[in-house]
């Protein structure tokens, strides 16, 4: 491994970790291995703490590739609970309203799904890192302040229904950078004349990198600590 010239490290981000938590853990392991105090490490595409899956971490000069990786197509497996909403559109916050869902059938879901495929406009969740007057929207939302966000253009290539039973809906989603799956859950719930929020999210692909290429954070740290090291120009 040549961390200075640059390595691309693929991690299956654990549930409950921020993307920065993973970067910090990797950076710390590299700094200890190389016996240096500062080292450049970054990630290509944030995952929410309650999401798992593909997280691309770049080291050294490979951080120049972060923007290219971020622009890659993303694939997610998303689990939705129909008939209830939360302020964050996921499990970060408690259910704030419940709606009828007995009228929702698979045929109805298949009828509304196409309206979310293609070039679409999406309003981001207020519990997001979008900036409002220089401040993160989630900080304002957590303080109980009203946050109004503008719709953003994005592209959703495909939405496939994997499972549907009672009020549980599982989707495979292929989409562009900037897509909020939590917001998509919100919008699908509304289109079904009900409510919905995200109960699980797993990113299974970013560009050319699949979840099958990823290692656990513990396995990654073990390789950093014990694997062979290459040094440039030596």
């Amino acid at each position: 491994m040549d961390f200075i010239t640059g390595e691309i490290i693929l991690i299956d981000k654990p549930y409950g970790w921020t993307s920065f938590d993973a970067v910090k853990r990797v950076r710390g392991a590299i700094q200890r291995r190389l016996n240096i105090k500062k080292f450049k490490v970054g990630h290509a595409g944030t995952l929410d703490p309650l999401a798992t899956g593909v997280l691309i971490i770049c080291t050294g000069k490979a951080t120049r590739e972060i923007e290219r990786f971020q622009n890659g197509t993303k694939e997610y497996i998303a689990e939705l609970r129909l008939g209830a909403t939360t302020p964050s559109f996921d499990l970060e916050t408690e259910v704030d309203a419940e709606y009828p869902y007995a009228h929702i059938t698979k045929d109805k879901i298949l009828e509304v799904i196409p309206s979310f495929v293609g070039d679409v406009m999406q309003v981001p969740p207020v519990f997001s890192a979008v900036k409002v007057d220089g401040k993160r929207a989630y900080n304002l939302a957590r303080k109980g302040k009203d946050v109004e966000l503008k719709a953003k253009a994005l592209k959703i290539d495909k939405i496939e229904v994997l499972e549907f039973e009672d009020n549980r809906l599982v989707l495979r989603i292929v989409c562009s950078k900037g897509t909020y799956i939590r917001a998509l859950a919100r919008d699908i719930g509304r289109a079904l004349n009900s409510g919905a929020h995200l109960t699980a999210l797993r990113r299974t692909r970013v560009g050319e990198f699949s979840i099958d290429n990823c290692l656990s954070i513990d396995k990654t740290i073990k390789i950093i600590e014990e694997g062979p090291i290459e040094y440039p120009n030596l």
Side-chain angles (χ1 to χ4, degrees):
M1 294 177 290
D2 182 350
F3 298 115
I4 297 174
T5 298
E7 293 287 346
I8 298 167
I9 300 172
L10 304 177
I11 287 178
D12 183 350
K13 189 191 79 65
Y15 182 86
W17 285 47
T18 67
S19 299
F20 180 73
D21 288 337
V23 169
K24 184 178 178 181
R25 183 86 183 274
V26 169
R27 181 191 294 117
I30 293 173
Q31 288 171 333
R32 290 191 300 272
R33 185 68 194 275
L34 300 182
N35 194 27
I36 55 179
K37 292 185 177 181
K38 291 185 178 182
F39 191 69
K40 194 171 186 179
V41 180
H43 67 80
T46 301
L47 269 178
D48 288 339
L50 301 186
T52 65
V54 180
L55 182 67
I56 304 172
I57 294 181
C58 300
T59 77
K61 295 179 182 178
T63 54
R64 299 170 183 171
E65 298 295 312
I66 284 177
E67 184 175 357
R68 179 171 69 86
F69 293 145
Q70 285 177 330
N71 289 333
T73 298
K74 315 294 192 303
E75 179 185 83
Y76 297 91
I77 304 298
E79 181 175 318
L80 284 65
R81 175 188 169 189
L82 303 175
T85 58
T86 72
S88 59
F89 312 146
D90 65 4
L91 297 180
E92 181 182 342
T93 53
E94 298 292 329
V95 169
D96 61 354
E98 296 191 7
Y99 303 84
Y101 62 85
H103 64 282
I104 300 174
T105 62
K106 187 171 182 180
D107 285 343
K108 181 62 176 177
I109 293 169
L110 294 175
E111 180 184 321
V112 305
I113 287 297
S115 64
F116 298 101
V117 177
D119 295 317
V120 299
M121 299 295 291
Q122 183 187 76
V123 178
V126 292
F127 283 79
S128 67
V130 175
K131 286 191 175 182
V132 179
D133 296 327
K135 297 180 179 179
R136 298 292 185 186
Y138 59 72
N139 286 330
L140 297 173
R142 286 168 184 157
K143 292 177 181 178
K145 296 184 178 180
D146 292 331
V147 180
E148 185 174 345
L149 300 178
K150 295 181 180 179
K152 293 187 176 183
L154 51 88
K155 184 175 183 181
I156 297 179
D157 296 302
K158 186 173 185 178
I159 302 177
E160 178 185 359
V161 177
L162 299 182
E163 298 178 46
F164 172 60
E165 184 178 1
D166 192 29
N167 66 340
R168 178 176 176 269
L169 174 62
V170 181
L171 304 172
R172 183 176 76 90
I173 302 156
V174 181
C175 57
S176 69
K177 169 187 175 182
T179 304
Y180 283 94
I181 307 301
R182 290 180 288 134
L184 180 61
R186 170 202 63 197
D187 295 340
I188 289 175
R190 289 174 178 172
L192 292 169
N193 295 315
S194 184
H197 65 277
L198 203 61
T199 55
L201 182 64
R202 184 159 178 79
R203 187 158 67 190
T204 50
R205 182 168 63 86
V206 177
E208 63 195 270
F209 302 115
S210 163
I211 191 65
D212 296 332
N213 307 129
C214 297
L215 298 175
S216 69
I217 187 71
D218 290 339
K219 179 67 172 178
T220 300
I221 298 304
K222 185 176 177 64
I223 291 172
I224 292 171
E225 292 174 342
E226 301 178 3
I229 297 290
E230 296 179 12
Y231 294 92
N233 304 320
L234 292 181

